[in-house]
Structure formats: C-alpha cells, structure tokens
Amino acid sequence: MTPHLTPALVLGILFLYFAMLVGVAWLTGRNVGNDGFFLANRKVPWYIVAYGMIGTSISGVTFISLPGAVGLSEGVNRGFGYFQMVLGYLVGYFFIATVLMPLYYRLKLTSIYGYLEQRFGPVSYKTGAAYFMLSRTLGSAARMFLSAAVLFAFVFKPLGVPFWLTVILMLALIYAYTFRGGLKTIIWTDVIMTTFFLVAVVWTVVSISQALDIGIGELWGNIANSKYGQVFYFDNFLGDPNHFVKQFISGAFIAFVMTGLDQDLMQKNLACINIKAAQKNMLVFCIYLVLVNIAFLTLGALLYIYADNVGLALPERTDHLYPQIAFFHLDTIAGIFFILGLVASTYSSADSALTALTTSFCVDFLGFEKEKLGTDPMQDEAAVLREQEQIESSQKKKRMYVHLGFSFAYVLIILLLNAFNNNAVISLIFQLAGYTYGPLLGLYLFGLFTKLKVRDKWVLPISILAPVLTYVFAQNPWFDVGFLTILINGLFTFLGLWAISDGPAEATPNPHE
C-alpha cells in the first residue's frame, strides 16, 4: 500500500462507513412489518429505485473482474467485448418493462414466482422459487467471495485476521443493517453505496489519466489505438465466445432471466407505486447501465495501459490488477475510494439478494401470504386485531431466522469457493447462471407464449434434466457456446414442458390486460 494507506486506516474508514449504514437502517427500519420488509409498502419513488438498482446489478464482480477481463489475450470479455452483451441487455430490459412488469403488477405479486402457481400449479411454483434461491445464493456468494478475497489479501491478512473470520465479519455487518428493515432499508442504503462506487470509478480514471499525462479529451483516442479497445467481434463464430451474435443474444436472455425472473431486482421494481412508475424506473436504469459499463470498460483499458507504461508485472489473477494499482501506485485518496467502492458495490448486491432470498422463502415456502386470520364471525374487532398481531409477530421471528440461515449459507459457499476456485469470478457467475436460471427461462417462456397446460408433477424432473443435457451439449469440441448456455438450457426446458403438455390451459394471465 501507499505509505499513508495502512490497514489500520482502512479499518477506521470501514468502521465509519458501516456506522453510517447502521444509522440509516435504524431510521428506516423502525416498526417495519412484512409489507415494509418485502416491498417497502410500495411507496418508493421510481427514480430512487432506478439509481439504487445500479449497485444491485453491478456488484463487486463488475467493479473488479470486468476491468481485469479487458486485458485478456483470449477468453470471454476481452477488450470492450463485454459491451456487446450490454447492448443485448437493452433488448431484455425492453421485454421486461413491456411484458413481465405489467403481468406482475396486474397479479399483485409479492413473490414473482406466484405467477407459476397460477399458470401451471404448485410443483412448478416451488420449482421456480427453488431455482431462484439456488441461483441467487450461489451467485451472490461468488460475488462476495471476490470482495472478501481482495479485502483479505490487502487489509485483513496483514493484520493477522484469518480468511474465515473476514467472511463472517462481512456477513455479520450485512445482517446487522438488513434484518429489521429489509427492502425499505436496502433501497436507501443502495443509493449511498451506488454513489460511493461511481465516485471510486471516476476518481480512479482521473488519477490514472493524470499519472499517464493524458487529458480527459484524449482518453478515447488512446484507448481506441491500443490493443484493448476492440468492441465488436465478428470472426470465428464457432470458436470465439466473444462473437457478437453470441454475446448479444446471451445478453438479451441473461437480462430477461437475471432481472425479469429474479426476485431480487423485480422486488425493487414492485416497490414502485404503480406500473407506470416502474416502467419509468426501468427506462432510466437502462441509460444508467450503459453509461456505467462504459466507465468500467474505460477503467479496465486504462489500468492495462498504465501497467504497460510503467512496466508493471501483471498479477496472476486479473481480478487483482485494479486493487494492486489503486493500493500501490496511486495516491491515498484513490486507495480509499477503491476500498469504499469495492465494499459499496459488493454490499449493494449482497444485501438486497439476502432480503430477496428471505422474501422468496417466507412467501413461497412458508406461505406467509396464505396464513389467514380466523373466520369466526363472532370475533369482535379487538380479537381480530390481537390475532393479526400474533400472526405478524410469529412471522417476524421466522423471517429473522430465515435471514440468518441464508447468511450462514453465504459463509459456507464463500469458504468453499476460496478453497477450489481458480477462474475469473465474472465467468464463474455467468456459468452458474446459465445452468440454474435456464429452467426459469423455459418455464416463463412456455407460460407466456403458449396456452398449453402441463402435467405439473413432471415439471421438477424436466427442470433437473435440462441443465444436465445442457452440460453434455456444452462439452462438444466443435462449438464454443460461451454464455449461450442459458438459452440452450431454457430451450431444453421448453421442449420438455411441451412433451408433458396436456391441452390448452383454462385461463392464462394476459400481461397486456
């Protein structure tokens, strides 16, 4: 680290940062019931949701892995190739805003997987919710692993703190400021976190530009003329995972699945007051997303140009290039902003995922919304109120235990990833997404674009078989599927559902009504 950026200073900054988050949690988490915890009472301004969603969608993976991937000589996301996928995202978000969100609002859903119960039946409903929980738990834990590994290597290890304790401390802090307020707290803490990591990126870009004596107006010219500036890849469709068609189509379906079929991000959209506000949120979020990803890719190119200019030996893991330059080559302020940006981007993704997992388990598996008051007509108003308070109190205790349970699951997965992972985390997460979100893609596409009903009891076996077939297909030597696994997986699921279909459904919810 720079002489002034000591581990003790970093810990002091982190302490102040989390004290601020706990203060926000205290202000927003008082007297929060289930509706406030799950959907923030559906009263959040759309522009607040749009801004906070940047942090949820970006995460620590984009903050570190995406800039690191820019300099790869082979493999996915080299150069500016990831921007091809960002363009595909826009198609996916358009479909979400015009088809999925109207459907969710019309059905007045808390958990979006309630649609599967109405469309197919209880097994499909549980299958969809279970795949979300599996996908989100693995994905969020992988994102946290990246940040935990960096913080451990550069901050906690020099202080003699073991990795397992570093992970427990990180999860304990998330639990401390989310277990009461849930989404009502997270939406406002995400605004703070998004601001921090955006400032970190801008400050680092400016700092490197000054170190290289490059004016801001000359940045694009220098990047375009370097070996890191290629945006579009049109050669070798079969063998190159960066090929435009693969990246663009994958981006569209990844956005559709990892946002539109993801309880985490859709839960925030459902917190808007109505569908029009939610659609405005999605439109503005798309603009933010493009600009933010351009900023991260620019940062990545500058990191490698800087390393080339000063003769810096590249780290074995590309994920460590950004922290290495921020800590050892830039000024103290850049290092501080890096720490705050890393923690903010990680926590803005992980905290909302933890709340979404808690919501899905409580609503989809514990049946919170189906737990009704007694129907005794002789009960007076006071008795009904007491019963309602008892139900709310009981559910609150269960909700806190579920929240704690998922926190422990995060710890276990992160420790396993630390023991066995050797790949860039951004690739790992999208590989996981392709196999675990694929069945959700198939279920929703079949429900939205056909009027067929299925034999519900066979949905779970089909949803297990599809990822297995996808894995077998992906091992072929003649076609590098890249991120297309999610589409192939969804197609296998769709065909399996077609095979177990049994005539037209009696009533299919119409998202345009």
Side-chain angles (χ1 to χ4, degrees):
M1 293 187 187
T2 59
H4 302 293
L5 191 61
T6 63
L9 175 61
V10 172
L11 285 179
I13 293 168
L14 291 178
F15 174 80
L16 294 175
Y17 177 76
F18 283 108
M20 176 182 60
L21 293 183
V22 171
V24 173
W26 180 79
L27 290 172
T28 58
R30 291 176 293 178
N31 302 317
V32 171
N34 283 336
D35 194 44
F37 186 95
F38 297 146
L39 293 176
N41 303 111
R42 298 183 190 267
K43 293 180 179 179
V44 184
W46 64 267
Y47 47 87
I48 295 296
V49 176
Y51 186 71
M53 277 179 62
I54 301 173
T56 305
S57 61
I58 292 299
S59 83
V61 173
T62 306
F63 191 78
I64 297 181
S65 279
L66 184 54
V70 169
L72 293 174
S73 58
E74 59 183 18
V76 292
N77 297 325
R78 64 181 182 271
F80 273 56
Y82 182 75
F83 192 69
Q84 300 172 123
M85 186 174 288
V86 174
L87 295 177
Y89 288 166
L90 301 181
V91 176
Y93 290 136
F94 176 79
F95 188 85
I96 292 167
T98 57
V99 177
L100 286 182
M101 291 202 305
L103 174 65
Y104 296 154
Y105 267 86
R106 190 177 68 81
L107 297 179
K108 299 180 180 179
L109 300 176
T110 297
S111 167
I112 62 174
Y113 309 111
Y115 163 74
L116 295 177
E117 183 175 35
Q118 298 185 39
R119 179 64 176 85
F120 297 125
V123 174
S124 301
Y125 171 42
K126 304 289 188 185
T127 299
Y131 263 112
F132 159 71
M133 287 191 287
L134 174 63
S135 304
R136 225 12 170 152
T137 304
L138 292 174
S140 295
R143 290 176 172 92
M144 284 212 69
F145 158 69
L146 173 62
S147 298
V150 171
L151 286 174
F152 173 70
F154 292 97
V155 178
F156 290 101
K157 187 177 181 180
L159 294 174
V161 178
F163 181 77
W164 63 267
L165 184 55
T166 302
V167 174
I168 291 175
L169 288 172
M170 291 179 69
L171 267 299
L173 288 169
I174 291 182
Y175 185 83
Y177 72 84
T178 61
F179 78 102
R180 289 189 184 276
L183 190 64
K184 190 174 179 181
T185 293
I186 284 168
I187 285 175
W188 293 103
T189 56
D190 278 359
V191 168
I192 297 171
M193 295 179 185
T194 297
T195 301
F196 271 114
F197 84 73
L198 291 179
V199 170
V201 173
V202 172
W203 188 276
T204 307
V205 167
V206 172
S207 297
I208 295 178
S209 299
Q210 291 175 344
L212 295 173
D213 197 24
I214 299 175
I216 297 298
E218 301 172 320
L219 277 180
W220 284 105
N222 279 267
I223 292 172
N225 293 327
S226 73
K227 61 183 178 181
Y228 308 111
Q230 184 175 354
V231 179
F232 298 106
Y233 295 78
F234 293 106
D235 298 328
N236 192 12
F237 173 73
L238 292 180
D240 188 359
N242 284 295
H243 193 279
F244 175 80
V245 173
K246 293 180 182 178
Q247 291 282 72
F248 185 83
I249 293 176
S250 297
F253 280 96
I254 286 172
F256 172 68
V257 176
M258 295 186 71
T259 299
L261 307 185
D262 185 284
Q263 177 65 27
D264 184 2
L265 287 162
M266 282 295 98
Q267 191 168 344
K268 293 184 176 179
N269 283 278
L270 293 174
C272 295
I273 193 168
N274 55 41
I275 180 59
K276 294 297 182 184
Q279 288 173 323
K280 287 180 184 178
N281 154 63
M282 185 59 69
L283 173 63
V284 174
F285 168 69
C286 286
I287 297 172
Y288 288 157
L289 187 75
V290 170
L291 296 176
V292 169
N293 276 284
I294 290 175
F296 275 105
L297 291 168
T298 300
L299 171 62
L302 283 176
L303 290 171
Y304 281 96
I305 292 172
Y306 177 86
D308 292 341
N309 273 266
V310 302
L312 175 64
L314 298 178
E316 183 178 343
R317 293 179 58 176
T318 59
D319 296 339
H320 285 180
L321 178 63
Y322 185 9
Q324 181 174 329
I325 291 177
F327 281 139
F328 298 106
H329 295 268
L330 302 180
D331 58 34
T332 302
I333 300 298
I336 290 173
F337 274 131
F338 170 81
I339 287 290
L340 291 175
L342 174 63
V343 172
S345 58
T346 301
Y347 274 65
S348 62
S349 174
D351 58 10
S352 62
L354 195 60
T355 299
L357 289 165
T358 301
T359 299
S360 180
F361 192 86
C362 290
V363 174
D364 299 328
F365 288 91
L366 298 184
F368 273 25
E369 292 190 323
K370 296 178 181 179
E371 193 171 353
K372 304 294 184 182
L373 292 171
T375 57
D376 184 356
M378 301 301 293
Q379 279 187 317
D380 58 22
E381 185 176 346
V384 171
L385 183 60
R386 283 195 300 272
E387 186 176 354
Q388 186 176 10
E389 290 175 347
Q390 289 174 355
I391 292 175
E392 180 77 22
S393 177
S394 174
Q395 290 184 345
K396 184 176 180 179
K397 290 179 182 179
K398 293 177 183 177
R399 190 184 74 205
M400 291 171 65
Y401 286 131
V402 171
H403 207 60
L404 187 61
F406 278 113
S407 299
F408 280 123
Y410 272 31
V411 171
L412 178 60
I413 294 169
I414 291 170
L415 294 179
L416 290 173
L417 282 172
N418 184 59
F420 298 109
N421 177 69
N422 291 312
N423 301 316
V425 176
I426 193 167
S427 297
L428 173 64
I429 288 173
F430 283 122
Q431 288 170 16
L432 292 172
Y435 288 105
T436 56
Y437 276 99
L440 273 173
L441 174 63
L443 279 165
Y444 274 82
L445 289 181
F446 194 85
L448 292 168
F449 292 104
T450 78
K451 294 185 177 181
L452 299 172
K453 60 183 179 181
V454 299
R455 289 187 281 273
D456 189 46
K457 66 180 181 180
W458 290 103
V459 169
L460 179 58
I462 291 295
S463 298
I464 294 174
L465 179 62
V468 175
L469 293 176
T470 303
Y471 178 79
V472 173
F473 181 82
Q475 304 313 304
N476 74 83
W478 50 270
F479 180 62
D480 190 327
V481 298
F483 292 148
L484 286 177
T485 50
I486 196 166
L487 175 58
I488 296 167
N489 198 347
L491 179 61
F492 279 135
T493 305
F494 189 98
L495 294 174
L497 295 172
W498 190 286
I500 61 170
S501 62
D502 189 23
E506 295 180 1
T508 302
N510 185 350
H512 301 292
E513 290 182 356

